[in-house]
Amino acid sequence: MGRVGGEEQAYELDVREGEEGRLDRFVAARLDLSRTRVQALLADGRVTVGGHLAKKSDSVTRGMVVEVVVPPAEPVDIAAEEIPIDVVYEDEHLAVVNKPAGMVVHPAPGHRTGTLVNALLWRIPDLAGVGGRLRPGIVHRLDRDTSGLLVVAKSDPAHRALADALKRRRIRRLYLAAAWGHLDESPLTIEAPIGRDRRDRKRMAVVPEGRPALTRVRVRERWSRADLLDVALETGRTHQIRVHLAHVGHPVVGDATYGGGWERGMGGPERAWAQELARRVPRHFLHATELVFDHPLAGERMRFRAELPEDLAVVARWARGEPAGHGRPAAVPRNPA
C-alpha cells in the first residue's frame, strides 16, 4: 500500500509466495521501476527491510515487509507549443481531447517536444502545475500510436477528483481494437497481472508478480481472419489491452511489439487476406472511442464518443468488403449527455 506525503511516496510491500529472491528485482517488479532506479534508492538509504537499511545484495523471503520511499521526480521545464489539437469539449475545470496517433501524451526522454502536454500548455496556459509539473493536467494516458479520447484536468480539485474516480473504476473507457483470429468466447473477461517483461524491460507481460489487470472484450464484427472488438478497461496498466489480447492468443492487428508477423503463420486460402490486412494497417489498430464519467465538480454525467479516424476507418471498410469511399464519417465527437 502506498501513501503520499507531498510529492514523496512511501510503500509497504509484503513479500508473497513466488516473489522470493533478490531485493532489487522484487522492488523493481512490484513498483514498476527500473533496476537502476531501485539500486539508486538502495544507495540513498530509501529501502528498509524489517526497519533496517537494506543493501543491494539482500534477498527477500515470503512474509518479509519491505519499505520503500520514492522521492518526487525532478521538475522539468515544458515549453508551450502551437500544435493543433482536437478539443471536443472544454469548460473551466476540464477538457476532453481526441488525440491523434503518433503523438506522445507527455514529455519523456526522447520526446521532450511535440507532445500533447506541449500543445495543451499553448491552448491552456493555466494548466502548468495542475497535478504536478511533470505531467500537468494528465489524468490517464494513451500509447503514442493509439488514437482517441482522454480527459485533462484544468484545476487541482478537478485533477484530484478525476484521479480518484479513475482509481475507483468510475471512468468508463471503451476502445475499438482489431485482433487477429476469432475469439471463441464473447463477451470475454481477461484478468491477468501485468508487469515488466523479465527478458525485455521495454515490454510489458503477464507475470505472476505484476499488478492486477482486468479487461472486458466483446466481438463487434467478425472479419475473415480478424475480429473488431469493443474493449473496456477496468484497470489502466501500461499497454494493457495489447498485452492481454496477445496473452489470450489474439494480438492487436498491426502491433509490432506484441503481435508482429502473426499473419505469416497462417495457411490456407485466408492467408492472402491476412497478409493484405497487415499490409494495409498503418499502426496498431487501437482507438479510444468512448469516454464516460461524472463531472468532477458539477456531478452531471458526461459522455463522449469519437469514431475511428480515417487511417483505421479505411482499413475497416476494406476488411468488411465495402467499396472504397463507403462508410461513416471518420470522427464524430459527441457532446456530453
Side-chain angles (χ1 to χ4, degrees), residues 6 18 33 50 144 199 210 219 280 297-298 303 329 331:
L33 299 172
R144 176 180 181 175
R199 296 167 296 181
V219 175
R280 287 173 176 266
L297 279 301
R303 183 184 302 272

Side-chain angles (χ1 to χ4, degrees), residues 81-231:
E81 296 181 62
E82 191 174 5
I83 302 171
I85 50 174
D86 181 12
V87 177
V88 300
Y89 175 82
E90 184 177 1
D91 63 25
E92 61 181 314
H93 300 293
L94 62 88
V96 175
V97 180
N98 187 13
K99 185 188 84 70
M103 176 177 276
V104 174
V105 170
H106 57 75
H111 299 285
R112 292 297 185 192
T113 61
T115 73
L116 179 64
V117 165
N118 295 111
L120 287 168
L121 287 172
W122 181 274
R123 182 184 176 105
I124 311 169
D126 292 341
L127 192 68
V130 174
R133 289 181 62 190
L134 284 176
R135 303 175 183 180
I138 299 303
V139 178
H140 60 112
R141 297 182 299 167
L142 296 175
D143 295 340
R144 176 180 181 175
D145 287 330
T146 300
S147 54
L149 298 171
L150 51 78
V151 61
V152 176
K154 293 175 61 178
S155 66
D156 278 323
H159 190 275
R160 287 193 294 269
L162 287 167
D164 183 67
L166 187 68
K167 182 179 179 180
R168 296 174 181 272
R169 304 182 183 181
R170 292 177 179 171
I171 296 181
R172 174 176 168 81
R173 291 168 292 166
L174 185 67
Y175 293 71
L176 283 174
W180 288 115
H182 297 308
L183 269 65
D184 294 328
E185 179 183 348
S186 177
L188 171 67
T189 297
I190 307 171
E191 188 167 10
I194 292 176
R196 291 287 171 187
D197 191 317
R198 295 165 179 168
R199 296 167 296 181
D200 183 352
R201 298 291 298 175
K202 295 180 181 179
R203 290 164 46 104
M204 308 302 290
V206 170
V207 290
E209 69 275 13
R211 301 174 70 187
L214 179 63
T215 307
R216 303 189 189 280
V217 182
R218 183 186 298 272
V219 175
R220 171 179 284 211
E221 297 177 15
R222 182 150 289 188
W223 299 339
S224 177
R225 288 299 294 141
D227 286 339
L228 183 65
L229 307 174
D230 288 319
V231 184

Side-chain angles (χ1 to χ4, degrees), residues 308-335:
L308 284 175
E310 187 60 20
D311 66 335
L312 297 184
V314 68
V315 174
R317 291 195 290 268
W318 176 86
R320 297 184 191 112
E322 295 177 358
H326 177 73
R328 294 171 295 180
V332 185
R334 180 184 299 175
N335 288 328

